[in-house]
Each structure stands twice: as C-alpha cells, then as structure tokens.
C-alpha cells in the first residue's frame, strides 16, 4: 500500500562541492597534493554529471509553500516557516503527543535512480536524526544521520522480503547542534550512498527483490528532536549520460595520466593508512573518503590483505561493520 499524505506546507535547493580540501596536508601526503586534487575533480565530475534536478525551491518566510505530511507515520509534525542564522528556514517539530516520528514528503514520487539532499541543523542540545528515506522508515531504503539520539549513522537495506533494517556505517561524524549539515541520500541501481557534508560515509546494497521501477516518495525524517531545514533538492540520475562523458572526464581531470598511473598513486595513499603517525593516518583516510569511487577496488583488497590498522580503516572507508 502506498504512503498516505496530506497537503500542508514545504520546499528547497542544495549547493556546494565535495572536492577534497588539500590545503593542510601533512608532509607525508604533500607529494600527492596534485593527484588528490585531480582525483577529487574526476570523482566530482562523475558524481554530479548524471544528475538532473526535478525538485528545486527555496524557503521564504513571507510566502506559503507546499509540503506533505505522511499520515502513515502517526500524528503529523508541526511545521512553520521561521528565521535562523539570517536564513529563511522550515522548522519541523515532531508531535510530542505522538510516537516521536516526523516524516515530510518532498516533491513527487519517483521511479528509478534518484537522490534527496538537504541543508539542515538541529537547534537543540539533544539532536536525533537528520535523515532521508525513500518512503516509510523500516519499509524503504534510506540514510540515517545521527540516529539513536545522535550515536549512529546507518544505511537501510532490505532482506529480500520487504523488510528494511539499518546497517551501521562510519559514525565518527555525527550531528553538531546548531551547525548546518549537508546530508545526501542516493539510490543508484542496487546501491544506497550516504553523504555527510560532501563526504561519502557509507553504502549499502539492495536485494534483487527491491522494485526500483515502482514510484517511491523522497522523505525527510527526524525523531522527537526538531530540525531546521534551509534547502532541499531532489534529482534523478541518467546513467547513459555519465557513460558517454566518462572518457572526457578522465582527460579533464588527469590529463596524460593512465589508469595504471592512477592506481599506483592510490596505492601509495592507502599505504599511508598504516603510517606511524596518527595524524598522517587520519589525513590519508579523509582524502581517500573524498575519492572513494576511484579507491574502492584497492580498499576492498586491503580489507583482507593488509595489517590490522589498514584493514580497520579500509573497512571504515567502505562503510563495512
């Protein structure tokens, strides 16, 4: 049965870049500075080029906007337009007399590959969830940021029988109260990607039973704790467009570097996950997180064929438990 929704008020748009910040690299990474910039450029081109915006608005306190509260989730959340940090924002407050869930549908239902992204913050000292789903929590794929009272990040995947459960991913980055976070959930083919502030923190695989061709409703989710939403955007993905452009992306980003050259440089950065200095290991992990699509094959190999420290960090980068 589809989601039941009731019209009331809502909106959004997202900007920003996930290119790696290489301005303050440790000396051990300095020789990789140019390559890391090239690699982040390539990943950004591939990541963003196939997306086509289908829902894109911005809040304004002096105008009415449309949102949809999800009836299936319980009592409707309280929604109002307000001001925060000189921004016009939407305040979502879960009904304190209800079950704590607040779900707000964004735009129309979509079939196939799509993303949902928002800039939002928790205005309280006890945040819980700046999360995004493709429908009801527990019945749909999604990315949970700061769940369980800001102790867990997780991707929600199915078991093949229509039941969705969370798998914990990198939880080193959690909600900072009163800080604007950029949260992104992507559904591409059978994969879920979760981003926090432009960095991919976890992925998950959906079962073949998941019906991608059916329409699904992009949803913002929070639990008991209110949130402020500054902007939101929904996009659909065109795989053929990316495939046609991939060769040009490589030339634009890497120039004359060959795939073998790139693999060798990635291997060098991965080795620094085992460096004697903690700061170098952390810096290498941050840079690899930003170029993960390129580094993933070697990171997966490192999960089994490396030292305990390197295995741990490789698994964390891949969002594996």
């Amino acid at each position: 049965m589809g989601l039941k929704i009731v019209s009331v008020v809502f909106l959004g748009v997202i900007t920003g870049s996930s290119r790696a910040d290489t301005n303050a690299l440790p000396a051990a990474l300095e020789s990789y500075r140019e390559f890391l910039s090239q690699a982040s450029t390539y990943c950004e081109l591939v990541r963003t080029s196939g997306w086509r915006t289908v829902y894109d608005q911005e809040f304004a306190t002096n105008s009415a906007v449309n949102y949809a509260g999800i009836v299936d989730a319980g009592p409707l959340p309280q929604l109002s337009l307000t001001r925060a940090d000189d921004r016009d924002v939407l305040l979502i407050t879960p009904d304190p007399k209800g079950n704590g869930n607040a779900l707000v549908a964004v735009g129309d239902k979509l079939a196939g590959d799509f993303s949902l992204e928002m800039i939002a913050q928790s205005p309280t000292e006890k945040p819980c969830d700046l999360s995004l789903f493709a429908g009801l929590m527990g019945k749909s794929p999604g990315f949970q940021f700061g769940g369980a009272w800001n102790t867990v990040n997780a991707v929600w995947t199915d078991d093949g029988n229509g039941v969705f459960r969370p798998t914990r991913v990198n939880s080193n980055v959690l909600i900072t109260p009163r800080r604007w976070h950029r949260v992104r959930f992507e559904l591409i083919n059978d994969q879920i990607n979760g981003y926090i502030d432009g960095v991919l923190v976890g992925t998950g695989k959906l079962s073949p039973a998941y019906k991608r061709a059916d329409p699904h409703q992009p949803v913002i989710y929070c639990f008991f704790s209110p949130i402020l939403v500054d902007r939101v955007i929904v996009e659909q993905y065109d795989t053929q467009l990316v495939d046609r452009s991939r060769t040009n992306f490589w030339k634009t980003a890497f120039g004359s570097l060959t795939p073998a050259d790139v693999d060798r440089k990635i291997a060098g950065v991965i080795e620094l996950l085992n460096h004697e200095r903690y700061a170098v290991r952390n810096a290498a992990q941050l840079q690899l997180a930003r170029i993960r699509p390129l580094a993933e094959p070697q990171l997966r190999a490192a999960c089994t064929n490396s030292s305990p420290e390197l295995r741990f960090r490789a698994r964390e980068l891949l969002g594996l438990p």
Side-chain angles (χ1 to χ4, degrees), residues 6-11 55 59 63-69 77-81 90-92 104-105:
V6 56
S7 294
V8 206
V9 289
F10 188 76
L11 23 114
Y55 182 87
F59 296 104
S63 63
V65 288
N66 293 321
Y67 80 85
Q78 302 169 15
L79 294 107
S80 60
L81 294 171
L90 176 70
L91 172 62
I92 303 176
V104 175

Side-chain angles (χ1 to χ4, degrees), residues 271-286:
E271 279 301 314
L272 293 177
L273 294 176
N274 215 24
H275 196 273
E276 61 182 6
R277 289 183 56 213
Y278 182 75
V280 173
R281 298 197 298 272
N282 280 353
Q285 184 168 343
L286 174 62

Side-chain angles (χ1 to χ4, degrees), residues 1-41:
M1 183 175 68
L3 296 178
K4 297 178 182 177
I5 58 178
V6 56
S7 294
V8 206
V9 289
F10 188 76
L11 23 114
V13 72
I14 297 294
T15 59
S17 169
S18 62
R19 291 188 61 179
D21 179 5
T22 57
N23 290 330
L25 292 177
L29 273 164
E30 187 60 40
S31 63
Y32 294 100
R33 177 182 293 274
E34 182 181 4
F35 167 71
L36 290 169
S37 178
Q38 292 173 317
S40 65
T41 296

Side-chain angles (χ1 to χ4, degrees), residues 143-147 150-155 166-175 196 201:
F143 174 51
Q144 189 172 16
F145 174 35
N150 204 28
T151 61
V152 171
N153 299 328
V155 291
T167 298
R168 185 167 181 158
V169 296
N170 184 350
S171 296
N172 288 337
V173 180
L174 291 165
I175 300 168
I196 300 172
V201 297

Side-chain angles (χ1 to χ4, degrees), residues 220-234:
I220 294 173
Y221 172 81
C222 61
F223 182 72
F224 275 112
S225 179
I227 66 172
L228 297 171
V229 182
D230 179 31
R231 291 185 172 184
V232 63
I233 190 169
V234 180

